[in-house]
Amino acid sequence: MSLLKISDRGIYCEQADVYIDPWKPVERALITHAHADHSRKGHQKYMSHHDSVPIIKHRLGGVEIQGVEYGEQTKINGVTFSFHPAGHIIGSAQIRAEYKGEIAVASGDYKTENDGISGEIEAVKCHTFITESTFGLPVFRWQNQNLVYEEINQWWRKNKSEGKLSVISAYSLGKAQRLIQNLDHNIATIYTHGAIEAINKLFRKHGYNLPDTVHLGGNGKLKEEEGGLVIAPPASIGTMWMKKYKTAQIASASGWMAMRGTRRRRGVDKGFVLSDHADWDGLNTIIKETEAENVVVTHGYTDIFARHLHEMGLNAYTAETEYTGETLEPEKTEEKTEDEAV
Amino acid sequence: MKLFSQLFRKIDSTTSSNAKIKALVEFFAEADDKDKIWAIALFTHKRPKRSVNTNLLRTWAAEHGSIKTWLFEESYHIVGDLAETIALVLPQNQSTTHHNLDYWVNYIANLRDKEEHEKKDAVLSAWKSLDKDETFLFNKLITGGFRMGVSQKSIIKALSKYLSLEENKVAHRLMGNWDPFETEFSTLLLEENLSENLSKPYPFYLAYALDKELEEIGEPGQWFAEWKYDGIRSQLIHREGEVYLWSRGEDLINESFPEFSIIPQFETRSFVLDGELLVIIDDEIQSFNRLQKRLGRKKPGKKTLKDHPAGIIVYDILEFEGKDLRPYPQDERRKVLVELFNELHESLPLKISPLIDFDDWDELSDKRDSSRLIKAEGLMLKSKKGEYKTGRKKGDWWKWKVDPMTVDAVMIYAQRGHGRRSNLYTDFTFAVWEGESLVPFTKAYSGLTDDEFREVSQFVKKNTIERFGPVSSVNPTLVFEIAFEGIAESSRHKSGVALRFPRIKRWRKDKQAQEADTLDNVKSLL
């Protein structure tokens, strides 16, 4: 029997009686990262990487949570758990479990490019690897991120030269900070929507050096002709605050923008292909480097990706979970409450 | 290809027609004449013949993208477009060529008679030298299906702006069977064409659906009632011995419908008529299915013309002997129309739309119920004193359709949606009973709420019997009410019937599969 298995509550380690990223209330939860589909409310005790702690507290309220370092070992009932960089968002981790020589890793969500704020992913050697497959199709092959940033900068510069405001839709936790970190602040000011500003504040307070941004605020109005860039969560696109801005050019930054159909359905002026998830080659590379024999595929194009791994000679199978990965829908429900204040 | 690729990107990233037209105008201003011709040809469905079989392209793409063919096929299903799937699975490279569109169209055309290995070498070397967007367009050129969300109308508007030439003149000049390989931009569009004013149509007057009680629109005596036919709304122009047929989309379609070219042999009077284009055999209107066999055929063959002869049921006259009649009231226009038809030669494929007799609204309502018997969708109500308006306007014309037909059917197949909906089942096949077995009789895609789609998808996942690629056969359990506007016999379908505009009306959670309709029930609607 495997050290980690998928139960109806989450990824379960029976020997230690703890869950990883459970979707139903449990006693002890180890959390890979603070996105809402992995970090849910209702558990009695939480453990995560310490960079995730302030976000989880902010989003879930006063929960009992312990923060750990990457590589730090915690023993529970004889099982050794440790957190390892996943490169997905700030504070994201893969969780490694070891018991009597058997090693299993739950990777949560991950990406292989180092975005400068989320850490460099580490391929953890294991027997069983639990992987996502949000973009587990060979049509998803990301360009080098610097080319994408340059593409966004160019679009922004062009809008500015035409006296227009740029608005880019990005997840408030992860993609937003990645853009703030990597876009060219010399072009003009970057403004943030309230939901994103709240997260930035937390990171800055806990010692992260994010470049300066200006909170958009509910009152007053930007001078559109100055050509600023507003970063706002998907749920807020098209809502009240935007109606003031007649020149606003709207873009979306997401892995889904790779497909023409989704780009068109999204109805944005521009789609940039930028994801915090691994692409086809990224998934394959990491899985290969873990040297795992067993691979459990949890969310995304699970059937197809598992069949592909199976043909590569791995013991791969799919498991039903309630993780969603990157979606095109407005983020998660609790973000709506944050959104009320722009 | 750079300019064309930029044009494509601009068009593809906007839904605004004005932005598309602006992009086209910019393209026409910059591109050389040969590329202009090709852009016009591609956007108006004049594309060169396919020179490489798509199965070969799929195989080469999988091979060059280092993936198995089944993985390519799965990807294709999710992306939903072959040219795009190929562009996405191939290794990405920067563009290293600067050839124009004309070069690539000819490059592809030259492959037609080559050996397979020569075709392969040529295609692979193109793929290696083009970037992702250019590869996509190159693939589109090879595979044919060039639909880029640009209507003929937008092309006409853009050319009209670029050339400062009236739109109907542009439309007229684009008419005909010009061959893009042989045609010069200047001869096609810049030479004055004496006949083009003759072809000029009037804007159509379009009716709204009746949205109130009949009593509220006035006294029955103030209104004409006619059958509303399910064909193509058309304007037939006969001026100075020339005939032009325009469809409501303001496309010139006379080449597809040569039946009307005989008019000058029998008529000296000039006129512009508004009516419904239909397939009519021995005075009987045929189903829309048969008209479909004629649509989009630029040059119908003898057999098609014989099997599916077209005619027009005429309900209005907009111009007579050079005089614009649109400001005159409906009843006066009707008089002129009747006079015209009194002396019209019987061999012309034109019929006047009969007025329906009625004394009160109840009587008319009863008559409406018999619409289907004469292949009509319902009634049109026209105010006797109304002028012929421009565009969709309320007041003088109303359409009053009959309620759709419905059948209770069992879901037997479900197919995943595309793209981000690929985790949901969105396309369904429905069956009705024939004895002890279920016969598939229609597909339907729309009509459920998002929540219902999710619930049905859950059911499909749990009740799949067998999978055929993206299609799952499911336990025949769920019953849905399917609504449709028409039904016709069809030899191409197992059930022997084909539906028009089928959609899911509601989920009959109150019904068991055994309670669904039978094929006999369905056929009784024919």
Side-chain angles (χ1 to χ4, degrees):
Chain A
M1 203 201 63
S2 180
L3 186 53
L4 295 179
K5 62 181 187 187
I6 315 293
S7 82
D8 57 356
R9 307 191 150 254
I11 299 169
Y12 184 50
C13 177
E14 193 172 355
Q15 177 60 35
D17 194 21
V18 301
Y19 286 84
I20 297 172
D21 294 353
W23 49 85
K24 281 186 181 155
V26 301
E27 262 179 50
R28 268 202 101 158
L30 310 185
I31 305 295
T32 59
H33 64 288
H35 274 152
D37 55 329
H38 292 262
S39 163
R40 296 180 193 243
K41 58 180 114 181
H43 315 309
Q44 289 179 23
K45 284 182 179 171
Y46 291 72
M47 181 188 277
S48 73
H49 183 266
H50 61 73
D51 283 338
S52 292
V53 170
I55 308 292
I56 293 174
K57 279 189 175 161
H58 168 73
R59 290 188 153 185
L60 304 185
V63 296
E64 188 187 333
I65 180 163
Q66 182 191 349
V68 294
E69 273 295 345
Y70 289 129
E72 185 183 332
Q73 297 191 339
T74 308
K75 230 174 193 168
I76 305 172
N77 244 1
V79 184
T80 308
F81 289 96
S82 52
F83 288 61
H84 302 266
H88 176 54
I89 59 169
I90 299 176
S92 65
Q94 309 173 73
I95 298 177
R96 177 186 187 273
E98 180 173 4
Y99 180 66
K100 291 187 176 166
E102 189 196 340
I103 303 166
V105 171
S107 57
D109 291 329
Y110 60 93
K111 72 168 175 285
T112 47
E113 265 193 314
N114 184 343
D115 63 15
I117 52 171
S118 310
E120 170 105 41
I121 188 174
E122 173 191 337
V124 182
K125 303 255 186 293
C126 57
H127 301 101
T128 302
F129 187 65
I130 302 175
T131 185
E132 59 144 325
S133 65
T134 307
F135 293 108
L137 273 189
V139 297
F140 297 108
R141 293 180 175 180
W142 310 149
Q143 272 193 307
N144 178 300
Q145 58 187 336
N146 294 319
L147 295 174
V148 183
Y149 301 140
E150 196 34 50
E151 214 185 314
I152 301 176
N153 288 333
Q154 269 176 25
W155 167 79
W156 181 14
R157 276 188 210 109
K158 179 171 173 283
N159 292 340
K160 188 191 169 195
S161 74
E162 293 169 1
K164 292 173 182 167
L165 181 71
S166 302
V167 177
I168 190 158
S169 130
Y171 273 13
S172 54
L173 170 58
K175 193 75 59 68
Q177 291 75 34
R178 183 176 178 189
L179 291 171
I180 291 165
Q181 177 77 26
N182 292 292
L183 293 184
D184 181 0
H185 289 248
N186 295 321
I187 300 174
T189 309
I190 295 186
Y191 297 89
T192 51
H193 179 275
I196 292 169
E197 190 57 27
I199 306 272
N200 290 354
K201 228 181 187 167
L202 286 169
F203 282 134
R204 291 196 178 105
K205 191 172 148 201
H206 289 84
Y208 250 92
N209 274 328
L210 275 181
D212 289 340
T213 50
V214 178
H215 180 199
L216 189 58
N219 306 316
K221 184 170 179 284
L222 299 182
K223 288 186 177 142
E224 295 173 65
E225 65 278 11
E226 287 175 3
L229 173 71
V230 178
I231 303 183
S236 79
I237 297 298
T239 56
M240 278 312 290
W241 70 270
M242 271 186 68
K243 302 229 155 71
K244 289 189 267 196
Y245 302 112
K246 301 291 176 226
T247 68
Q249 298 295 298
I250 305 160
S252 173
S254 161
W256 294 109
M257 293 298 128
M259 284 202 282
R260 186 172 167 236
T262 46
R263 215 160 54 219
R264 289 164 63 89
R265 275 195 293 276
R266 198 68 193 144
V268 290
D269 301 312
K270 194 89 186 150
F272 298 108
V273 186
L274 188 73
S275 179
D276 283 328
H277 293 262
D279 66 354
W280 172 257
D281 297 320
L283 291 168
N284 280 294
T285 307
I286 290 297
I287 289 167
K288 201 170 161 204
E289 287 178 5
T290 64
E291 294 171 16
E293 298 138 31
N294 310 304
V295 181
V296 186
V297 186
T298 56
H299 54 295
Y301 293 103
T302 50
D303 289 349
I304 298 170
F305 193 59
R307 179 174 166 196
H308 160 74
L309 293 175
H310 190 79
E311 288 191 354
M312 306 310 279
L314 299 174
N315 175 28
Y317 50 99
T318 65
E320 282 283 314
T321 65
E322 294 187 10
Y323 309 134
T324 54
E326 180 170 343
T327 70
L328 273 173
E329 303 311 324
E331 213 164 332
K332 317 289 144 64
T333 41
E334 65 256 42
E335 183 144 290
K336 289 214 180 101
T337 54
E338 293 171 25
D339 280 343
E340 280 160 15
V342 181
Chain B
M1 195 90 120
K2 282 250 149 48
L3 269 181
F4 190 62
S5 167
Q6 274 170 20
L7 170 66
F8 162 72
R9 218 170 312 160
K10 283 185 200 159
I11 287 175
D12 204 45
S13 63
T14 182
T15 48
S16 140
S17 312
N18 286 335
K20 287 178 186 177
I21 291 166
K22 184 167 170 263
L24 284 163
V25 173
E26 285 164 8
F27 173 82
F28 289 131
E30 277 191 65
D32 56 45
D33 280 1
K34 206 59 221 180
D35 276 20
K36 284 181 201 145
I37 280 288
W38 276 115
I40 297 168
L42 294 170
F43 289 134
T44 57
H45 313 293
K46 279 188 183 4
R47 44 166 203 260
K49 286 206 182 83
R50 185 175 286 175
S51 52
V52 183
N53 174 303
T54 53
N55 281 330
L56 291 174
L57 291 174
R58 291 149 102 126
T59 313
W60 301 337
E63 199 181 301
H64 190 48
S66 315
I67 55 172
K68 298 234 163 103
T69 42
W70 71 266
L71 205 42
F72 180 86
E73 294 304 320
E74 289 280 4
S75 301
Y76 173 31
H77 176 70
I78 285 159
V79 174
D81 181 290
L82 182 63
E84 187 186 355
T85 310
I86 294 174
L88 289 171
V89 303
L90 293 175
Q92 311 288 318
N93 30 256
Q94 303 292 320
S95 171
T96 54
T97 71
H98 297 93
H99 295 297
N100 63 5
L101 179 59
D102 183 51
Y103 169 89
W104 288 110
V105 175
N106 283 291
Y107 182 94
I108 289 164
N110 287 336
L111 296 178
R112 197 164 305 138
D113 303 317
K114 295 276 164 48
E115 296 294 323
E116 192 179 309
H117 71 272
E118 292 173 294
K119 290 183 180 182
K120 183 176 176 179
D121 289 347
V123 169
L124 285 183
S125 89
W127 282 344
K128 284 175 192 162
S129 66
L130 297 168
D131 70 17
K132 194 166 72 181
D133 283 349
E134 291 166 344
T135 302
F136 169 73
L137 293 170
F138 174 83
N139 296 342
K140 279 281 175 203
L141 291 175
I142 291 198
T143 54
F146 220 98
R147 280 195 302 192
M148 277 185 26
V150 181
S151 61
Q152 173 126 2
K153 196 101 200 265
S154 302
I155 294 287
I156 289 169
K157 280 197 167 153
L159 282 168
S160 154
K161 267 198 178 159
Y162 167 63
L163 299 168
S164 306
L165 187 70
E166 282 169 66
E167 283 176 30
N168 60 74
K169 287 190 177 174
V170 174
H172 187 96
R173 290 177 190 184
L174 290 184
M175 235 171 48
N177 281 315
W178 51 275
D179 176 357
F181 283 104
E182 308 290 336
T183 309
E184 296 293 327
F185 183 75
S186 53
T187 28
L188 183 68
L189 278 148
L190 301 182
E191 286 174 12
E192 190 69 27
N193 187 324
L194 289 175
S195 63
E196 61 202 10
N197 276 325
L198 293 180
S199 73
K200 192 172 177 179
Y202 291 103
F204 284 88
Y205 177 16
L206 307 170
Y208 271 96
L210 186 65
D211 57 0
K212 48 183 117 186
E213 295 299 319
L214 286 165
E215 285 71 20
E216 292 172 48
I217 66 168
E219 292 302 315
Q222 299 167 342
W223 293 84
F224 284 141
E226 296 169 70
W227 299 112
K228 183 184 184 314
Y229 302 97
D230 182 19
I232 303 283
R233 180 83 181 274
S234 301
Q235 203 172 114
L236 180 70
I237 297 175
H238 174 233
R239 287 175 184 140
E240 295 183 22
E242 298 289 334
V243 175
Y244 304 95
L245 183 64
W246 295 84
S247 76
R248 204 193 90 186
E250 295 185 26
D251 289 328
L252 261 176
I253 51 174
N254 21 327
E255 285 155 356
S256 305
F257 295 92
E259 284 93 341
F260 304 99
S261 62
I262 58 164
I263 291 174
Q265 298 170 29
F266 298 95
E267 267 301 327
T268 52
R269 296 172 294 177
S270 74
F271 48 76
V272 177
L273 304 177
D274 183 9
E276 200 81 6
L277 180 68
L278 297 150
V279 170
I280 304 174
I281 298 174
D282 297 335
D283 280 353
E284 252 196 78
I285 292 166
Q286 307 297 315
S287 72
F288 192 80
N289 276 37
R290 303 193 56 167
L291 183 59
Q292 265 172 332
K293 297 200 185 342
R294 294 290 305 273
L295 296 173
R297 291 230 177 141
K298 282 257 152 125
K299 272 199 171 166
K302 273 207 181 108
K303 187 170 184 328
T304 309
L305 285 173
K306 185 167 167 285
D307 292 350
H308 311 288
I312 295 177
I313 302 227
V314 179
Y315 33 69
D316 219 322
I317 180 159
L318 313 186
E319 184 187 292
F320 187 62
E321 297 287 32
K323 185 172 181 185
D324 181 358
L325 300 183
R326 293 177 301 156
Y328 292 84
Q330 187 85 43
D331 53 1
E332 288 189 34
R333 297 201 306 276
R334 178 82 196 180
K335 263 185 214 154
V336 179
L337 188 64
V338 170
E339 276 168 32
L340 172 75
F341 269 81
N342 280 340
E343 291 172 41
L344 202 69
H345 196 277
E346 58 186 14
S347 60
L348 294 180
L350 303 175
K351 288 166 59 70
I352 191 164
S353 162
L355 295 180
I356 300 169
D357 271 334
F358 66 103
D359 291 325
D360 54 56
W361 292 127
D362 285 344
E363 186 186 349
L364 187 64
S365 182
D366 286 343
K367 292 200 166 162
R368 183 183 73 130
D369 293 339
S370 64
S371 299
R372 290 225 165 83
L373 293 175
I374 61 142
K375 295 273 189 335
E377 300 178 294
L379 299 178
M380 285 299 303
L381 299 174
K382 293 175 180 174
S383 164
K384 290 180 181 172
K385 293 298 162 206
E387 57 180 28
Y388 190 93
K389 294 186 162 69
T390 295
R392 199 176 289 282
K393 299 273 160 54
K394 285 198 178 186
D396 290 333
W397 282 16
W398 296 105
K399 54 183 175 191
W400 189 27
K401 290 201 194 184
V402 288
D403 299 328
M405 295 182 253
T406 61
V407 162
D408 288 335
V410 187
M411 182 180 75
I412 55 167
Y413 297 111
Q415 183 170 352
R416 276 180 301 187
H418 279 130
R420 77 187 170 85
R421 296 186 85 171
S422 58
N423 289 327
L424 282 185
Y425 288 85
T426 57
D427 303 0
F428 307 105
T429 302
F430 297 94
V432 286
W433 293 102
E434 189 179 30
E436 294 293 298
S437 58
L438 282 163
V439 188
F441 86 112
T442 189
K443 280 187 159 196
Y445 314 89
S446 60
L448 293 179
T449 64
D450 282 357
D451 282 343
E452 285 173 326
F453 269 125
R454 240 166 265 141
E455 201 180 329
V456 173
S457 297
Q458 283 300 325
F459 172 87
V460 172
K461 281 178 191 161
K462 287 183 188 138
N463 289 278
T464 294
I465 305 169
E466 242 185 304
R467 285 191 197 181
F468 317 93
V471 180
S472 298
S473 69
V474 290
N475 283 321
T477 316
L478 304 186
V479 179
F480 294 85
E481 186 175 337
I482 308 297
F484 47 95
E485 297 299 323
I487 180 166
E489 284 187 52
S490 163
S491 54
R492 278 172 45 196
H493 297 83
K494 204 172 171 185
S495 62
V497 296
L499 305 188
R500 181 136 162 83
F501 295 135
R503 70 261 179 192
I504 302 168
K505 192 172 172 202
R506 61 192 165 132
W507 186 351
R508 295 296 304 257
K509 290 187 176 179
D510 56 320
K511 283 207 168 184
Q512 307 284 323
Q514 287 72 25
E515 299 171 71
D517 279 306
T518 64
L519 189 57
D520 286 343
N521 294 149
V522 174
K523 283 187 171 163
S524 68
L525 297 169
L526 277 169

